[in-house]
Structures are given as C-alpha cells and as structure tokens.
Amino acid sequence: MTKRVGIASDHGGYPLKVELVPWLQAEGYDVVDLGAHELDPLDDYPDFADAAAQAIVSGQVERAIVFCGSGAGASIAANKVPGVRAAVCHDTYSAHQAVEHDDMNVICIGARVIGAEVARELITAFLTAQLLDGEKYHRRLKKVAAIEQRSLK
Ligand code: RB5
C-alpha cells in the first residue's frame, strides 16, 4: 500500500491542499508537503509540479498529488520530468484506472473544477490502486518509456 505521499500546489490549488493535508494524515499516510507553504497569488505552478516530480524520481515519495487551478498546467509540467507519469483526473474511474493500466504516479487535480469531497474520492481511488500485472500493461509501459528515452537523446 502506498504510504509516502507528496502533495503540492500553486495558489490556484492552495486552499484545497490546506484542507486535505490533515485528512490524508488522518487516513494514515505520511504526507510530504512540497509547497506552496503560503498563499501567494503570484507563484507559478511549474515550481510545485517540479517539486512533486523530483520527490517521485528521487524516491522520497511513492506517489504525489498536485493541485493547480485546472490540473492541466501541473500535469504538463510534471510530465516533463523523466519517470513521471502524471494525468489530470476529475473522475474516480480515471483516478484508479490510470494507476492500474498506466502506472500513473502523479495525480493532478483542478481546485477550480472540483470540490473537496470529490477530491477526497479521487485521491482515495488513486492511492489505493495498484498497477495490474498483465503482459499488455507492461508492454505498453515499455513503449511509453521508449518514447521518453528517445526524446532524451
Ligand atoms: C493560476 O492562476 C492558474 O493558471 C494555474 O493554477 C493553473 O490552472 C494552470 O494550469
């Protein structure tokens, strides 16, 4: 089971992050808050998506949650880091299926799109899902990794 979870947001997601950190801790997760640590309307989502991505690739956390206004900017930025598989998920099916099929390790959520209760359901679906052990999933993930490697050359 996933235990170490990173959480990050820009100003667009900050109020939702503040609300959900105590809940995640109460659920038994070791939460690493990667910022923002204050509400700064001038902060930039790539900084926090990068912090979450680095925490994933360094092994500091097993999975990460990033909030911005829409989830889109956070997803775009986090996916620039090799080894990150991030997606915007605003429905529970995607939140667990993207782990089960695609080994998603960062969920991106738009705090201007959904409320706290839906966010709790998405995060629960994300954190309790596991990659399925089927040959087709591993084959597809190898193809994704090959695209990443080719692009790094
Ligand atoms: C910030 O105003 C907003 O642009 C950002 O949080 C995010 O929605 C970008 O995708």
Side-chain angles (χ1 to χ4, degrees):
M1 182 193 154
T2 303
K3 279 293 283 179
R4 284 173 292 118
V5 176
I7 193 163
S9 75
D10 71 346
H11 59 281
Y14 182 81
L16 191 53
K17 178 172 76 71
V18 168
E19 182 172 351
L20 294 182
V21 167
W23 166 73
L24 272 170
Q25 290 168 331
E27 290 290 303
Y29 294 103
D30 297 331
V31 181
V32 180
D33 189 340
L34 299 157
H37 298 296
E38 61 182 353
L39 182 57
D40 174 1
L42 297 180
D43 70 12
D44 300 323
Y45 67 83
D47 296 329
F48 306 103
D50 188 31
Q54 298 305 328
I56 287 285
V57 297
S58 71
Q60 183 187 10
V61 299
E62 296 158 80
R63 293 191 195 165
I65 304 154
V66 187
F67 302 104
C68 66
S70 65
S75 169
I76 290 166
N79 276 316
K80 298 298 180 193
V81 178
V84 168
R85 293 173 296 278
V88 182
C89 295
H90 289 152
D91 67 276
T92 53
Y93 176 75
S94 300
H96 67 81
Q97 193 255 23
V99 175
E100 292 160 354
H101 291 202
D102 314 323
D103 205 14
M104 173 173 72
N105 49 18
V106 178
I107 189 170
C108 301
I109 294 175
R112 295 175 186 161
V113 181
I114 58 145
E117 293 310 317
V118 175
R120 283 182 227 269
E121 293 188 7
L122 296 170
I123 290 166
T124 299
F126 168 58
L127 294 178
T128 57
Q130 295 296 332
L131 175 65
L132 295 173
D133 192 23
E135 190 278 329
K136 63 185 177 186
Y137 304 123
H138 293 287
R139 183 180 74 235
R140 291 163 189 164
L141 282 164
K142 276 187 193 166
K143 290 187 177 186
V144 172
I147 295 169
E148 186 174 82
Q149 284 304 311
R150 194 178 67 221
S151 303
L152 287 171
K153 284 179 187 158

